[in-house]
Structure formats: C-alpha cells, structure tokens
C-alpha cells in the first residue's frame, strides 16, 4: 500500500504538538480578548481582573497541553484549541450577561461559576487522559456502562433526590449543586453501544431473517441493545426531555448504521422517527405547544408559557444583523435564560451573523476532527466511539442552534462549551478527553515490523508497542 | 466501517450547512421584518436614546428632540401639542402613533435614504441622528381650523381637513378633543402608563384622529356624489335641467309614515325644480328620487371613483375606508343618495370629494409628508403628487362647481361667503339615532376659478342646542376661516 514506514492509508501523522501550542495561543487570545472586549464595550474600560482571569485560563490550558504532550503525543492538534476557544468565548459572553443582569438588579454570578465548572471539567479531562491509557479497556465495561447509564437516567425520578425544573425532571440536587446525570449517561451510553456493536457487528450485519424485503437481525443480537435503547428513550420521554430523546435516538441509529454498514437502518430509523414525532405531537400537549410556537411564534408572544423566549431571541439576532451590535451594544438580557439555552441568541445579537457562523464552523471543526479520527482509527471500537461522540456533538449542536434560530421546534438541550451549565461542561470535556485518547491511538505510526530474511530464526523476538 | 463513516460525514455537513443557511436567513434576510415588528423593544430602546429627527411645518418644528440629562440623553418635545397631536402622534416608550410611527424609519435614522449620513456618522464616530420630515401642512390653516373647532366649546368632538385640490397636499388636519403628546413622551414611565390609561378610558376618545379614523353618515354632503353621478350619466346635462321636486317623498316599497321624507322646511318647489336649486336648497325629495332613478350600481361606481371603499393615505397609519355598499335595496339606495342608510365617510374622504370637483374631476392622492431631509437639511426625497382616480369629466366638474357656488351665494351655505371671492360649498346635517344629536358636515372649496383649497368640517358632538345644529351654522364659519388663512 505505501512505502513510508509507519504509514497507514498512505499518510504518516506527526506529533504536531507545536501546531497545537500555536493554536492554543490563538484560542487564549480569543478567550482573553473577548473578555477584554466585553469590559470595553459595556463599561468602557478593560476589566480589572483580566490579568488574573487571563492567567488562570492560561494556566489551565498549559496544564492540559503538557499532559497531552506527555500521555497522548499523537493526539489531534486541533481539538483542544477549538474547545478552549469556544469555552473562552462562552465565558466572555456569560460575563457580559452578568454585567447586564447586575445593571437590571438581577442575580449575576454565572461567569464565576462557569469558570469553576470549567476548571472541574479540565481536571476530569486530565484525569481521564492520565488514567485511561488505552481506550480499548473500556470495551470490558460495555454492560456496566449501559446499566450505569440507565441508573443515572432514572436518578432524577427518585423522589427526594430529583427536582422538576421548567417542566423537565432531569436534575438532581447534590448538596448545594444541581446536576444533570443525563449528560454523563450520554457518554456512558456511547461507550456501551460502541462496545456492544463492535462485538456483535458481524452477527447483526449478516445473520438474520428476511422479513418482507428487509433483512432483520436475530432477536438475540438486537435484543440487548434494543432494550438499552428503548429503556433510555422511555425514561427520557417520561421525564419530558425531548431534546435528549431525539439525541439518543439519532445516536443509536448512526452507530448501528456505521457498525453494520447497512443503510436500511437509516431508512427504517427515519421512518420510525417520523412516526414517533407524529405520535408524540398527537399525544403530548407539550409537544403540540412546541410545534405551534415553532410555526407561529408571534402569535404566542403574550401567553405564559408562550413564545416570549424564542421571539426575543429572534428579535435580538435580527437586531444583530451581519456584524452584530458589539459587546454592550445590544440587549441580550431581554432573552430569558440567555446564559444557558439561548446563548447563541446573545452571540447573534452582539457578534452578529459573523459570530454565529464562526461558532457553527468551530463546532463543525470539532465534528470533522472526530470523524477524521474515526476514519483513521484502526480498531472497530475506537471507530465507533469516535463516530458516536462526533454524532453526539453534531446532533446536539444542530438541535440547539436549530431550535434557537427557529429551524426546528425548540427543545431543552444546551450548547456544548458555550452554555452556562456545569454538568454539560464537565461531560463534554470528558468527551474531548476520550476523543483525544482515541485520536492518539489512531494517529500513532503503525509499528514497523522487521524484514523477513533467511536469518529470521536467529533474530531476537521483537517487542512491539502498539 | 469507513464507507458509512464517510456517509455520516456528508450528513453532518448537510446539518451544519442547514444551520448556516438558516442563520443567514434570520440575521440578514429577515432582519428587516423583525426590526419592524411592533413588539420589538430593541428598536425603541435604541431610538429613545438617539437624537430623533424633527417633524416640521414650514420652518417650525412641531416635534423635536432636545437634550436631557437623565438616563436617556434626549427628550422628545411637542411645542404645539393639542393642535398637532393627531398629526404627529406621540413617540412614547411603549408605542408610536401618527407621523412618529409611519415615518419612524426616517426619524430614527434607520431609513435607507439616510444610509450615507449613517456611514459618515459611523466613520466620524458621531452619534447617529435621524432625518427630518417636512409636512405639507399650512401653519396658518391649521391654526384657523383648530381655533375654529375648539371655539365651539370645551367638549366639542369634530374634525377639519383641508386639501390642495391640484396636488392632494393636506394643508390642515385637526381633530378634537385632542391630547398632549408630551405626557406620553415623558421619561417617567409610570406617569406615561397612567396618562396613557387615562386617555384610553376617556369616552370622548381623544387619541383617535377623527379626520381619518372616524366614519359617519355624511348626510347632505353626499348629494355632491349623487349629483356628480346624475350629471355624468347624461339624463340631466346641466344645473338647469329639471328634476323632481316637492315637499315630501315616499320611499319606494314603503307606504307608511316612516318612509315619508321631507325637506325640513326648505323651498323645494312643487313638481319640478332645477338641479341647481335642488342642490342649493339641499332638497332631500329631489335627491331621493334621483338616487332611486340612477340606481345603486352607478352611485357606487361614482363613490368608488371618489375614493370610497379604498385605502389611499400612505403617510399616516390606520386610515379607515369610507363605506358605500353595493348591495342595497331600493329604499336604502334612495337614502344613500342623501348620505344616510349604510353610507359612512371620513372627513378626509369628503374633503377629497370637494377637492375632486375643484380639480376638474381628477381626485389626487392625499399626502402629508412633503419632504424627507437629512440632519443637515439636505433634501433626500420629495413626494410627487399623484392622481388617485378620475371621478368625472371636466365639464361636469365645472357644472357642479357652479351649483355649489349657488349654494353658498343663495342656498344653505351662506355663512361661508368670503367677500371678493367665489366660494363653492355644500352643507350636510346627518341623522344618527333619535337619541343622539345629528352630525354637522360642511364641504367647500375656494376660489371657484382655479381653486387653492378644499375643506371638510365635521362636528360630531358639541354643546350646541339640537335645533341649531347644522352644517351652515357650525361648519361653514370654520371652513371660511381656514380658506381665508390659506388664501392670504
């Protein structure tokens, strides 16, 4: 196939850590620069704590970079900088919202908390990278993770532990903090699915019966994974978390399709989804409300709960126009929950279409790097994990930004890295750690095995490190 | 597994492409509509702190922004509040009305015509300012109209509209009772809410612009439309043609007292009288017969040609359509010929009737915004007069003018006479309900040769005793003072 030593698919990946450092400096510039811009725009001066803030961010990023250099030297160089840039931008926008809330005498400490969560996320990121040296060890925990995911999803339903916030029962209270176990369940489920599918992919793809014109896999192969999936879906629907249901459904479909290489799954899945959405619309009042609001938001502006949130966000984004009003030039605090669900609305208002496209492209880059890792990865489990995590991010971003910009009805998901929300942030940093681990494995040069020659028998046994 | 991974990549690409296209649509294509949505507070917040352009009558501002030293750096001020409130509307934190609303894009500086100004401001880092709006209003005419109407009493409900027949310019637009827009433009929002509520709850409805928003039966002023239809139709060629007369008229398809209409004591001959006399003495009997003879279709066509049943005023919001239905039975048709039954007109519409006759049969589109200027008083746009429709032949218009002059000289409209000029006019006293006093209307234009101004006066309610209410008593003196103000 190729003559280069260590080549796989005709290309040898370098360590590229220097490139990553350069990009990280740019990402830091984005994060600190945005913070300074917020101060300048809103208060007319660079914020007082910028040195401390910049120093803290730089410290976190340097620590991450050093650990990646040591334990995952061949990892993808673009992922960490993009994630850091998004995180920094999110912090700056949340800080801007804090200032606006203070001016309107509302509680305003989100930026500080988000920074704390980000630190925690990075700690877990480092921990994952340090503890998990080979992603294939996760294959052993397939069923454990699956069960754990279901338990985590069920936790909010436990009376006394779970609370209903805004109609959805997805939160639990741990001391003074509220935590969304669904976010962690997402990651565990990807790993569980990947593990199961990689073991049974041949059976799923080949062994089966022909029903009508469709080849269906055997019950014993499809059963456990179908059970895992249906239980998670059922729990989510029961908890009224439509966004996550959508996400899990899509995730399952994508991974099944990739594992079995049968496009029929996409067709069947698409049909099932349409059927489910239609039934959901007929059966559930809150689904109907969402769709009605999506179709005609202006009509429900004065209702409560009505479309006030999406309408204000649309107004804000329209007001932002092409280049935005600049930090401090708009009124993003008019949008309810601008710091979490609707942060894209705030970005659209103050950074304009330019900012929104930039953010969408950054997410696109993350998904692209993850998919590239999947392509290059040499083992089935790693491929599936990477594809699964990529589709989690892609679907989540599509559902959130699509809902905020009225492409699809609104659901309750958060924008990864940008939104204020500890559980989401922490879980997504773990996702990044997993992706870096898989990409490190994928991009390592293939070990060069010795040449066959007459003296083969007399050669000492080669120790090969994969 | 690589092939499906590549397929998934394409799918993800499509998802993100959809997001980007939708975001572009939202923030670029649809942003204009979103900004125009009346619920959008961002525009107001920005506009409230920006120096807004002035609304000018002649060289005097009737609405302008002056510096203020509170949270919002500018304050909207209305120097002559009660006189001009129906025209300017009010620029309040919660809503805008009148010119403040319809010309908001120019006044706030967002209009496309102010693009260069905005660019210069952006580069020079100056505060963006709004453009100014020059109105067609004649200050003297407006003052005469306001003084005349408010001179009738403290609680008078009425309207005066004056048009320039050759162009359609609105020279005066007064509506009483009026209100003080300064109260609504204040920065103390609690006070604004209270004042707003007070005005909305007021039964006399001071917030509406009666010239364009109130439709009422025009009464005998409608006989101008009926006469025009009759003259155009051809059976009666001039004012000397003989038409049915008499003291009473029994409505077709009726036989009781309710269907017997009289002339209120005016001299309408016995069997036949001239058309001129019928109009000059405002003979119900003649015009009921004529309306029945010509039929509803031709009457409606004539009314539509004057502007009934349509929208024509682009410069102010909420213009009501004047109604002339086309599906009436014979007695109703007859009654609509004298401006009762289902007919309802705004004062602007009746002024357009007068202006159409004055302008040789061509009805011009009424407008109130004359010029749009930049903050540096550079003219950015000037409205050109445009024809709305042709209501009659010039010969018919000349004939009708002669008849209206006779009405003022020797008929029911003598209070509108101006020494040294020929004035054309028509009175109207429209019945509403037995418990309510009638509405007094007056339509006129002057001079009869080469008319410069056409006026319509409506007095909807006043403290005048019922037996004195009439177009000549209440409306004609006001119309006269307005016409004099314009002609001086």
């Amino acid at each position: 196939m190729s003559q280069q030593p260590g080549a796989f698919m005709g290309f040898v990946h370098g360590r590229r850590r220097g490139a990553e450092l350069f990009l990280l400096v740019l990402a830091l510039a984005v994060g600190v620069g945005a913070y300074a811009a917020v101060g300048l725009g809103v208060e007319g001066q660079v914020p007082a704590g910028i040195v401390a803030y910049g120093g803290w961010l730089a410290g976190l990023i340097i620590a991450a970079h050093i650990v990646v250099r040591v334990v995952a030297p061949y990892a993808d160089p673009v992922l960490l900088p993009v994630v850091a840039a998004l995180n920094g931008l999110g912090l700056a926008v949340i800080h801007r919202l804090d200032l606006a809330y203070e001016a309107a005498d509302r509680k305003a400490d989100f930026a500080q908390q988000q920074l704390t969560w980000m630190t925690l996320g990075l700690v877990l990121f480092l921990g994952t990278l340090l503890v998990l040296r080979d992603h294939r060890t996760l294959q052993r925990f397939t069923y454990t993770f699956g069960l754990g995911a279901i338990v985590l999803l069920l936790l909010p339903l436990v009376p006394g532990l779970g609370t209903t916030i805004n109609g959805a029962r997805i939160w639990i209270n741990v001391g003074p903090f509220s935590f969304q176990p669904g976010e962690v369940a997402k990651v565990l489920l990807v790993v569980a699915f990947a593990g199961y599918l990689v073991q049974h992919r041949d059976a799923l793809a080949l062994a089966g019966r022909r029903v009508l014109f469709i080849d269906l896999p055997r019950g014993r192969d499809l059963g456990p994974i179908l059970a895992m999936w249906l239980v998670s879906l059922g729990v989510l629907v029961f908890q009224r978390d439509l966004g996550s249901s959508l996400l899990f459904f899509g995730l399952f479909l994508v991974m099944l399709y990739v594992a079995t290489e049968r496009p029929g799954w996409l067709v069947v899945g698409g049909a099932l989804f349409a059927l489910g959405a239609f039934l959901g619309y007929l059966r559930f009042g809150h689904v109907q409300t969402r769709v009605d609001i999506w179709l005609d938001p202006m009509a429900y502006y004065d209702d409560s709960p009505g479309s006030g949130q999406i309408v204000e966000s649309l107004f804000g984004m329209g007001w932002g126009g092409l280049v935005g009003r600049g930090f401090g030039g708009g009124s993003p605090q008019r949008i309810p929950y601008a710091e979490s669900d609707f942060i894209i609305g705030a970005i659209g208002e103050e950074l304009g279409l330019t900012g929104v496209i930039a953010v969408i492209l950054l997410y696109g880059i993350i998904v692209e790097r993850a998919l590239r890792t999947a392509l290059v990865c040499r083992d089935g489990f790693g491929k599936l994990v990477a594809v699964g995590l990529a589709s989690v991010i892609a679907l989540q971003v599509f559902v959130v930004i699509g809902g905020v910009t009225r492409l699809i009805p609104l659901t309750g998901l958060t924008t990864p890295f940008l939104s204020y929300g500890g559980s989401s942030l922490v879980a997504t940093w773990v996702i990044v750690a997993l992706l870096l681990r898989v990409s490190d494995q994928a991009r390592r040069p293939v070990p060069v095995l010795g040449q066959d020659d007459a003296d083969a028998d007399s050669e000492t046994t080669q120790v090969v490190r994969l | 597994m690589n092939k499906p991974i590549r397929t998934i990549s394409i799918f993800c690409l499509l998802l993100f492409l959809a997001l980007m296209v939708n975001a572009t649509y939202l923030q670029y294509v649809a942003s204009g509509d979103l900004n125009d949505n009346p619920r959008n507070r961002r525009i107001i917040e920005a506009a409230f702190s920006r120096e807004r352009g002035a609304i000018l009558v002649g060289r005097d501002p009737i609405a302008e922004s002056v510096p203020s030293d509170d949270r919002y750096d500018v304050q909207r001020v209305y120097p002559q509040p009660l006189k001009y409130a129906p025209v300017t509307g009010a620029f309040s934190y919660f809503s805008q009305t009148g010119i403040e609303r319809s010309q908001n894009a120019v006044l706030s500086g967002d209009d496309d015509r102010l693009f260069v100004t905005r660019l210069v401001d952006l580069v020079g880092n100056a505060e963006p300012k709004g453009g100014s709006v020059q109105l067609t209003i004649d200050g003297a005419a407006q003052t005469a109209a306001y003084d005349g109407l408010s001179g009738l009493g403290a609680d008078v409900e009425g309207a005066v509209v004056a048009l320039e027949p050759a162009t359609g310019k609105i020279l005066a637009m007064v509506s009483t009772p009026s209100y003080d827009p300064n109260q609504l433009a204040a920065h103390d929002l609690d006070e604004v809410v209270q004042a707003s509520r007070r005005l909305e709850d007021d039964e006399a409805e001071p917030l509406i612009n009666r010239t364009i928003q109130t439709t009422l039966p025009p009464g005998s002023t409608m006989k101008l439309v009926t006469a025009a239809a009759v003259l155009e139709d051809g059976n009666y060629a001039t004012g000397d043609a003989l038409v049915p007369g008499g003291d009473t008229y029994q409505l077709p398809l009726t036989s009781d007292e309710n269907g017997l209409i009289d002339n209120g004591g005016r001299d309408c001959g016995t069997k036949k009288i001239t058309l001129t006399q019928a109009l000059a003495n405002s003979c119900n009997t003649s015009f009921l017969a004529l309306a029945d003879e010509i039929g509803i279709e031709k009457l409606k066509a004539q009314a539509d040609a004057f502007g009934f049943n349509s929208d024509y005023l682009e410069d102010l919001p909420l213009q009501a359509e004047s109604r002339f239905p086309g599906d009436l039975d014979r007695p109703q048709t007859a009654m609509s010929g004298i401006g009762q039954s289902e007919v309802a007109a705004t004062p602007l519409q009746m002024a357009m009737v007068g202006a159409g006759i004055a302008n040789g049969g061509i009805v011009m589109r009424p407008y109130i915004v004359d010029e749009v200027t930049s903050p540096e008083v550079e003219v950015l746009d000037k409205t050109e007069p445009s024809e709305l429709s042709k209501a009659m032949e010039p010969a018919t218009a000349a004939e009708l003018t002669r008849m209206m002059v006779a009405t003022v000289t020797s008929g029911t409209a003598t209070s509108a006479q101006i020494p040294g000029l020929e004035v054309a006019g028509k009175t109207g006293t429209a019945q509403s309900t037995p418990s309510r006093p009638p509405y007094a209307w007056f339509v006129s234009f002057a001079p009869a040769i080469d008319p410069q101004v056409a006026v319509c006066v409506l007095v909807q309610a006043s403290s005048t005793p019922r037996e004195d209410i009439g177009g000549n008593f209440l409306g004609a003196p006001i119309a006269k003072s307005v016409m004099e103000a314009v002609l001086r």
Side-chain angles (χ1 to χ4, degrees):
Chain A
M1 188 166 153
S2 75
Q3 271 59 55
Q4 287 165 300
F8 178 69
M9 293 171 72
F11 186 74
V12 183
H13 294 274
R15 291 192 179 211
R16 308 311 305 278
R17 297 269 72 79
E20 185 185 63
L21 186 60
F22 174 67
L23 288 175
L24 277 175
V25 170
L26 287 181
L28 201 58
V30 166
V32 177
Y35 189 71
V38 165
L40 278 171
V42 177
E43 295 169 326
Q45 61 181 31
V46 175
I50 192 165
V51 176
Y53 174 77
W56 186 254
L57 268 189
L60 287 176
I61 289 182
I62 300 292
H65 180 65
I66 290 175
V67 171
V68 170
R69 260 189 203 256
V70 170
V71 283
Y74 284 93
D76 193 289
V78 176
L79 264 178
L80 187 58
V82 169
V83 164
L86 277 172
N87 230 326
L89 181 64
L91 275 167
V93 175
I94 293 176
H95 175 64
R96 189 264 178 274
L97 285 165
D98 276 348
L99 291 174
Y101 290 148
E102 268 169 22
D105 295 322
R106 279 152 68 180
K107 167 194 138 115
D109 198 22
F110 297 118
Q112 187 60 42
Q113 290 184 27
Q114 181 80 340
L115 193 58
T116 315
W117 285 114
M118 178 186 174
T119 313
L120 184 62
L122 258 149
V123 166
L124 276 176
F125 168 83
L126 298 176
T128 314
L129 277 179
L130 286 167
V131 167
L132 191 69
R133 295 308 178 102
D134 189 341
H135 61 273
R136 286 169 297 184
T137 54
L138 293 175
Q139 252 182 294
R140 278 186 265 150
F141 298 103
T142 302
Y143 292 102
T144 321
F145 278 4
L147 206 61
I150 294 176
V151 167
L152 280 173
L153 283 175
L154 282 173
L155 264 183
L157 293 175
V158 171
L161 199 56
T163 49
T164 309
I165 300 182
N166 292 335
R169 204 179 169 86
I170 51 177
W171 298 83
I172 61 171
N173 285 324
V174 178
F177 300 107
S178 45
F179 179 71
Q180 266 183 292
E183 298 285 341
V184 181
K186 209 164 51 186
V187 184
L188 294 181
L189 236 98
V190 170
V191 178
F193 280 167
Y196 183 87
L197 284 170
V198 98
Q199 272 178 276
H200 296 232
R201 63 183 293 232
D202 293 326
L204 281 170
L206 301 170
R209 277 174 297 201
R210 209 168 173 92
V211 175
L212 295 177
F213 298 100
I214 315 167
D215 287 318
L216 281 180
R218 294 179 303 185
R220 80 182 86 158
D221 298 322
L222 199 55
I225 197 169
L226 205 61
M228 259 197 289
W229 174 67
L230 279 174
V231 170
S232 353
L233 214 58
V235 169
L236 286 171
V237 169
F238 193 64
Q239 289 173 333
R240 295 165 158 239
D241 191 356
L242 298 173
S244 293
S245 322
L246 183 56
L247 195 58
F248 280 47
F249 188 95
L251 178 63
F252 176 68
L253 216 55
V254 165
M255 292 183 75
L256 199 54
Y257 164 59
V258 170
T260 59
E261 304 204 27
R262 303 252 297 272
W265 282 114
L266 289 178
V267 175
V268 169
L272 273 179
F273 172 70
L275 186 68
F278 185 62
L279 285 176
Y281 177 72
L282 289 179
R283 179 91 168 71
F284 295 118
H286 62 275
V287 175
Q288 264 166 348
T289 324
R290 295 274 170 100
V291 174
D292 289 335
I293 289 180
W294 171 60
L295 288 174
D296 189 6
M298 299 302 169
Y300 298 90
Y301 184 69
D302 300 314
D303 295 350
S304 169
S307 61
Q309 192 179 26
I310 181 83
V311 168
E312 283 295 337
S313 168
L314 292 174
F315 283 159
M317 293 183 79
W319 185 237
L322 279 178
V323 285
R325 296 276 155 180
F327 283 124
S331 315
Q333 73 280 3
R334 291 191 61 88
I335 310 172
Y337 294 104
E339 70 276 0
S340 58
D341 294 350
F342 273 81
I343 199 158
I344 294 288
I347 290 179
E349 179 166 5
E350 302 208 309
L351 297 178
L353 182 64
T354 321
V356 170
I357 299 273
V359 164
I360 294 177
L361 285 177
L362 283 175
Y363 281 121
I365 290 177
I366 297 180
V367 173
E368 186 258 338
R369 297 313 291 192
L371 287 173
R372 180 189 291 259
T373 304
L375 277 176
V376 176
C377 192
R378 281 164 254 150
D379 72 288
F381 180 66
K383 273 170 147 46
L384 278 171
V385 167
V387 166
L389 294 175
S391 32
V392 160
I393 296 180
L395 285 173
Q396 188 163 348
V397 166
F398 177 74
V399 167
V400 175
I401 300 188
V404 168
T405 55
R406 214 187 137 220
L407 184 61
I408 58 175
L410 202 54
T411 56
L413 291 175
T414 58
T415 342
F417 300 113
L418 284 180
S419 288
Y420 168 75
S423 354
S424 161
L425 193 56
V426 166
T428 336
W429 272 108
V430 173
I431 290 181
V432 174
L434 285 176
L435 281 172
L436 284 180
R437 173 52 64 206
V438 175
S439 79
D440 173 56
Q441 190 64 41
R443 291 158 56 98
R444 251 170 221 278
V446 175
V448 179
L449 301 173
Q451 307 297 321
D452 262 329
D453 62 11
D455 298 319
D457 289 331
S458 65
E459 288 280 341
T460 52
T461 312
Q462 279 194 323
V463 176
V464 166
R465 186 163 175 264
L466 276 167
Chain B
M1 280 192 259
N2 277 2
K3 186 159 167 300
I5 295 181
R6 287 185 217 272
T7 314
I8 294 295
S9 313
I10 308 238
F11 176 64
C12 287
L13 177 70
L14 288 175
L15 285 183
F16 279 88
L17 215 60
L19 281 180
M20 287 196 276
V21 167
N22 188 56
T24 309
Y25 169 76
L26 178 64
Q27 293 197 270
Y28 182 64
V29 176
S31 71
D33 286 336
L34 283 169
N35 287 341
D36 286 338
N37 192 306
R39 291 195 174 103
N40 192 342
R41 300 237 51 86
R42 285 169 173 75
I43 298 267
I44 307 301
E45 297 252 359
F48 228 59
S49 313
R50 201 193 293 173
E51 192 181 321
R52 200 170 163 78
I55 304 177
L56 300 165
V57 165
R59 261 194 228 109
D60 302 320
I62 54 171
E64 58 180 347
S65 288
V66 298
S68 91
D69 34 74
D70 59 4
R71 183 157 66 113
Y72 310 101
D73 303 317
V74 287
Q75 167 73 53
R76 195 76 173 152
V77 166
Y78 299 89
Q80 299 181 66
L82 295 172
K83 200 187 298 183
Y84 283 100
V87 171
T88 59
F91 177 70
S92 93
Y93 187 80
F94 303 105
S95 68
Q96 316 92 60
T97 48
I99 293 277
E100 296 276 18
R101 174 162 150 193
S102 66
Q103 302 300 310
N104 189 48
V106 170
L107 292 169
S108 65
D110 284 331
D111 193 279
D112 288 339
R113 290 168 283 189
L114 289 156
F115 177 70
V116 177
T117 312
R118 274 207 307 282
L119 206 58
V120 171
D121 283 338
L122 190 71
V123 171
N125 214 22
E127 275 300 316
K129 291 201 282 266
S132 297
V133 173
Q134 182 83 30
L135 297 181
T136 56
I137 302 261
D138 180 329
Q142 182 88 358
T143 308
Y146 182 73
D147 290 343
L149 208 50
S150 45
L152 290 179
D155 48 357
V156 67
E157 293 172 24
V160 177
V161 180
L163 297 173
E164 189 176 67
T167 58
K169 285 185 181 175
I170 297 180
L171 300 173
M173 180 180 263
V174 170
S175 168
T176 56
S178 182
Y179 63 98
D180 186 356
N182 288 305
Q183 287 179 348
L184 297 178
H187 287 169
D188 183 339
L189 297 181
D190 291 326
E191 271 187 34
V192 170
V193 169
Q194 274 181 24
S196 178
R197 206 165 288 151
R198 239 188 351 253
L199 289 168
E200 278 160 25
D201 291 342
D202 191 338
E203 278 181 8
E205 295 184 293
L207 288 173
I208 63 170
N209 182 346
R210 285 180 157 79
T211 62
I212 56 173
Q213 288 179 259
T214 306
T215 55
L216 293 171
S220 301
T221 51
M222 200 63 185
K223 290 171 183 160
L224 292 172
V225 177
T226 315
V230 157
L231 284 168
E232 280 284 291
D233 195 40
N235 278 346
Y236 303 90
T238 67
D240 294 326
L242 290 176
V243 300
D247 280 332
T248 60
Y249 179 83
Q250 182 77 41
L251 285 174
L253 307 182
T254 66
S255 53
D256 58 355
E257 239 182 39
N258 289 336
L260 195 66
I261 314 291
D262 67 18
N263 289 318
R266 298 186 290 280
D267 175 18
C268 292
T270 47
K271 242 182 153 220
K272 291 269 185 197
I273 55 172
T274 61
L275 187 52
T276 306
Q277 186 187 357
L279 190 70
N281 284 350
S282 199
C283 293
N284 292 337
T285 50
S286 312
F287 280 92
L288 285 166
L290 285 172
D292 184 42
E293 185 184 316
I294 198 171
I296 186 71
E297 276 176 29
K298 290 187 182 156
L299 273 178
K300 179 168 186 300
Q302 183 67 56
D304 287 344
F306 275 115
F308 277 77
N309 301 318
S310 65
D311 303 305
Y312 33 75
L313 187 63
E314 292 164 345
D315 291 343
L316 283 172
L318 302 175
Q319 178 231 320
E321 283 183 15
S322 302
R323 281 191 312 276
F324 195 101
D327 54 352
L328 303 173
D329 59 21
R330 276 184 69 194
Q332 284 172 324
T333 304
M335 289 299 278
S336 64
I338 61 169
Q340 302 283 165
S341 168
E342 308 279 318
V343 182
T346 59
L348 177 64
Q349 176 61 71
M350 294 319 291
M352 284 164 71
V353 170
I357 299 170
N359 197 30
I362 309 287
V363 180
M364 302 300 282
R365 179 185 295 274
Y367 65 97
I368 198 170
V369 173
D370 189 20
E371 285 175 352
V372 167
T373 64
S374 72
E376 291 78 39
V377 202
E378 184 197 323
V379 175
L380 295 171
D381 199 7
K382 189 168 168 69
T383 314
E384 293 300 318
S386 75
E387 275 185 29
L388 185 66
S389 64
K390 181 171 179 179
M392 63 189 95
E393 296 296 326
T396 313
E399 201 55 42
L400 206 38
T401 306
R402 272 195 284 276
M403 290 160 54
M404 286 173 77
V405 170
T407 312
V408 173
T409 315
S410 54
T412 55
T414 48
S415 297
Q417 290 171 356
I418 300 177
L421 284 180
E422 277 197 318
V423 177
K426 180 76 194 77
T427 56
T429 309
Q431 307 303 318
S432 57
T433 62
S435 57
R436 249 202 118 274
Y439 309 120
W441 289 83
F442 194 80
V443 174
S444 69
F445 57 89
I449 316 286
D450 189 23
Q452 299 299 308
V453 54
V455 183
C456 173
V457 177
L458 160 70
V459 178
Q460 185 178 355
S462 65
S463 46
T464 318
R466 193 187 178 118
E467 56 273 15
D468 287 337
I469 294 178
N472 195 39
F473 182 69
L474 291 174
I478 302 175
K480 172 182 165 180
S481 64
V482 172
M483 290 188 290
E484 282 179 325
V486 172
L487 295 171
R488 290 288 171 267

